[in-house]
Amino acid sequence: DVPGERSWYQRIVTEVPTSHKPLVSASAYSSLGFLCDEPGSQQEVDYYQQALTLVPSNYQVRYSLGAAHATRLEYDLALEAFREAVQLASTPEQEYQSLSSLYTMAVTYLKKKHPNATQQEVMKRLGDLMGGMEHFQRLAELKKKSSSQKGQ
């Protein structure tokens, strides 16, 4: 029952003082963002940003904010959020998820903004957009490791 859940979380953020239970309020804001009717809506972005003011080091909220910006085609904001999510990742799965999204957003951005770039220019810009070539290399390592584990 999405409307019921939405109502419950809305009650939490309006009735529970955030100073008393910042994690509870942040979780409620994050859930409200997830439950938005329109993916990528300004309301979804606002909920994630409100959650991040309370718990700025939350990987899932930061990643979700990046996804919302990506849906809105807000390339710079999505790239920034995904780069921050990479730094907050605490598991290889989270690191792979955020690096994959960062790579996808960077490639999408490059295709849109620099359609005639040479391969050398693309690789340099890709490294810049991903926050350094070490992120690109780490993604390749994680992908290779994931592929070899699936084959076992």
Side-chain angles (χ1 to χ4, degrees):
D1 176 31
V2 172
E5 285 183 68
R6 199 176 295 127
S7 174
W8 171 252
Y9 292 122
Q10 197 62 49
R11 269 187 58 212
I12 291 172
V13 298
T14 56
E15 294 177 13
V16 176
T18 57
S19 59
H20 290 90
K21 299 198 187 255
L23 292 177
V24 172
S25 296
S27 178
Y29 279 122
S30 178
S31 295
L32 284 166
F34 180 75
L35 293 170
C36 275
D37 290 330
E38 285 184 54
S41 68
Q42 184 59 49
Q43 185 179 37
E44 179 185 16
V45 168
D46 292 344
Y47 283 136
Y48 292 139
Q49 288 175 332
Q50 287 173 300
L52 288 168
T53 62
L54 299 168
V55 288
S57 61
N58 184 291
Y59 167 81
Q60 195 57 54
V61 178
R62 185 72 60 186
Y63 179 84
S64 296
L65 177 63
H69 283 306
T71 300
R72 296 169 60 85
L73 303 179
E74 296 172 335
Y75 301 109
D76 293 332
L77 294 172
L79 288 164
E80 179 183 347
F82 288 139
R83 281 191 297 265
E84 291 171 358
V86 169
Q87 300 306 313
L88 295 172
S90 61
T91 67
E93 293 79 15
Q94 288 178 343
E95 187 179 18
Y96 181 75
Q97 179 186 39
S98 54
L99 284 169
S100 293
S101 294
L102 178 58
Y103 173 80
T104 300
M105 183 53 39
V107 168
T108 302
Y109 173 86
L110 289 171
K111 285 181 180 177
K112 182 84 171 165
K113 301 291 184 179
H114 305 282
N116 300 318
T118 66
Q119 184 177 4
Q120 186 176 8
E121 291 171 331
V122 167
M123 290 306 291
K124 180 187 180 329
R125 288 185 175 152
L126 184 62
D128 292 343
L129 291 171
M130 290 189 70
M133 283 307 289
E134 65 273 6
H135 284 152
F136 181 76
Q137 292 164 345
R138 179 67 178 148
L139 175 60
E141 289 171 20
L142 290 168
K143 186 170 180 71
K144 184 177 179 181
K145 188 176 183 179
S146 173
S147 296
S148 68
Q149 288 175 347
K150 287 180 184 176
Q152 293 178 355

